[in-house]
Amino acid sequence: MKILVIGSGAREHALVWRLAQEADVICAPGNPGIEDEVECFAVAAVDTPGLIALAREQAVDLVVYGPEDPLILGGADAFRAAGFAVFGPGSAGAQLEGSKAFSKEFMVSAGIPTATHESFVDAQTAIEYARIRFADGYGVVVKASGNALGKGVIVCEDIFEAEDAIQRIMVDRIFGDAGAEIVIEDRLDGREFSLFTLISDNYAASLPIARDYKRIGTGDSGPNTGGMGSFSPDASITPDLLHEVEERIIRPTVVELHRRGLPYRGNLFTGVMLHKGRPHCLEFNVRFGDPETQSLMARIRGGFAAALYAAAVGEAIPPVEFSDDAAVTVVLASAGYPGEYTRGKRIEVGPVGENVKLFHAGTTVVDGWLVTNGGRVMSVTATGETVEAARFAAYQAVSSVRFEGMQYRSDIAESI
Ligand SMILES: Nc1ncnc2c1ncn2[C@@H]1O[C@H](COP(=O)(O)OP(=O)(O)OP(=O)(O)O)[C@@H](O)[C@H]1O
Ligand SMILES: [Mg+2]
């Protein structure tokens, strides 16, 4: 089987690395780390005609999308129309991530537990609603409905913050057209985790839990990022709790997709918050999460390519084999990230252990030197018999990587 993986981050590096152990893999556009694994082609992830031409020329059997934006734009639909098996939903299914207003309406009609909400296209009406919610004793969260690169959600402490958030998103358009519509929902409180589920029309198969760390700073301080680390498995998510998530969120989702005639073939990423001890659905994403994927790929023993292929063609999903080992991923970021960050810093990599993998994200090669070229530069993923052992190995490997201004969290997978 020949697989084309689309994307250029550490998530795609991890997918490529795993899939290449099971199949023949190529990647577009890739990055310097992915180039060390497989052949890469300089075609952008949103250049759908270019990618289809590449897939034809290379006679690929399966196309795997990494990032969400080409999916929201209909990349998978175009590939399917051209006769390819694709892992990744079409633009209709991708609205579960592309429009929070759609996704909330979907959850409500499917009977999925989620925060009470209203959607708005008018700022004044939105402000009046927020005032009423605060007056009734609720907190609110203001969300740009469109895709705002993980930055469109503002958790508000009081009505002044809510009014300010509505003003900035809807009127000042700080997230552009993503803020033409907003969702205001009640603020929930509790522990969060996410679940990845491979969906093949009416079949669903969830992967083990990987926990991620969103804030930039050790101890969960500072602003949100694309993700600063992850670990798997997460023993705090009990089988009973997982069962409840499957029954109350995943199963109704698959039924609702079917009821609406929305074929979905890809990964569904469900963000869950344990509000008052019960799972509530915070959001859906329509692709794999980064950096959870890096930890998950390190734990797979086999069957991943076959599972993605089955999902892509709408067949029952065969089990993916996971090892009992744990994996820990630490993200290395540039100085300044998640704000304005430095680029072009030379990266030095010393020897790392056999159970360690460096997944590239924001790296490039200039004059023969590997240099930084993004906010999140690399993921360091290590495995071990226990989370503690994997954590120790990951941090040992972190100390073999150097670039000016390198920042990372020192508490990934600590005291869990
Ligand atoms: N109703 C809520 N109550 C409390 N916190 C919330 C609520 N909704 C969202 N949050 C917080 O905001 C974060 C981001 O929200 P959400 O997942 O909807 O946004 P996103 O921008 O799509 O995120 P991602 O980049 O993970 O896709 C959540 O992980 C959670 O911590
Ligand atoms: Mg999201």
Side-chain angles (χ1 to χ4, degrees), residues 149-151 212-217 220-229 290-291 331 333-334 336-339 375-376 407 409 412:
L149 302 171
K151 291 183 178 151
D212 77 328
Y213 293 76
K214 279 256 172 257
R215 303 285 191 109
I216 184 73
D220 270 337
S221 58
N224 270 332
T225 68
M228 293 301 293
D290 183 336
V331 171
S334 295
Y337 179 78
R376 291 189 297 168
Q407 51 165 344
R409 279 180 66 150
I412 304 303

Side-chain angles (χ1 to χ4, degrees), residues 198-237:
L198 307 180
I199 294 189
S200 171
D201 294 343
N202 295 322
Y203 304 100
S206 293
L207 303 180
I209 297 280
R211 179 84 69 90
D212 77 328
Y213 293 76
K214 279 256 172 257
R215 303 285 191 109
I216 184 73
T218 297
D220 270 337
S221 58
N224 270 332
T225 68
M228 293 301 293
S230 68
F231 68 93
S232 179
D234 181 353
S236 73
I237 311 300

